Amino acid sequence: PQDVATEGLPAVVDFRRHFRDPYNKAAYGYAEIESSAERPVLLLVGSDDGCELWLNGEKVHSALAPRSLTVDGDRVEAVLRPGTNRLLIKVLQGGGDWRYCVRIADRDGRPQDLAELK
């Protein structure tokens, strides 16, 4: 495991920067999101290639197809619980680019400042 810093918004994680042989692989991204209360959210997901997403141990999304990254391309309804919420994404890689982006939005699709959820 290694911490990854991103630049700018939306924050896109590029796995090719961290792996020497980025072909026919899978890698995981993990984040903890603090929430002061239970709240419905949209998880805005984009990946190159396919991905699977778990929130607090429950699979909430699967898009298993070769594709290019489209920021906010997938919209996944979910509920954050009070306290620490664990988000895990598995991103598949065939060839070419290998990136992902996950954002937390309100149910209207407006991205949320994570500091404001606390």
Side-chain angles (χ1 to χ4, degrees):
Q2 64 179 272
D3 290 338
V4 175
T6 58
E7 298 175 11
L9 292 176
V12 175
V13 175
D14 187 349
F15 284 126
R16 286 190 60 131
R17 292 184 178 181
H18 305 282
F19 294 93
R20 291 184 190 182
D21 178 24
Y23 299 99
N24 299 316
K25 304 273 193 255
Y28 292 84
Y30 174 80
E32 293 183 351
I33 301 124
E34 297 294 329
S35 180
S36 61
E38 183 173 297
R39 69 183 80 232
V41 295
L42 283 177
L43 303 175
L44 305 176
V45 182
S47 66
D48 183 334
D49 290 313
C51 70
E52 294 179 290
L53 187 69
W54 291 264
L55 179 62
N56 297 320
E58 177 184 342
K59 185 187 258 186
V60 294
H61 181 62
S62 182
L64 302 177
R67 61 185 186 171
S68 297
L69 172 71
T70 300
V71 172
D72 303 346
D74 302 335
R75 298 165 67 94
V76 180
E77 291 186 7
V79 176
L80 295 180
R81 63 183 184 204
T84 303
N85 292 268
R86 291 165 178 80
L87 185 69
L88 179 69
I89 187 168
K90 176 181 180 181
V91 183
L92 306 172
Q93 168 64 341
D97 289 337
W98 189 15
R99 306 177 299 156
Y100 79 91
C101 178
V102 178
R103 301 197 299 166
I104 309 293
D106 65 17
R107 284 291 170 104
D108 293 324
R110 292 183 298 267
Q112 299 294 289
D113 181 338
L114 297 181
E116 294 177 6
L117 298 178
K118 293 181 183 180

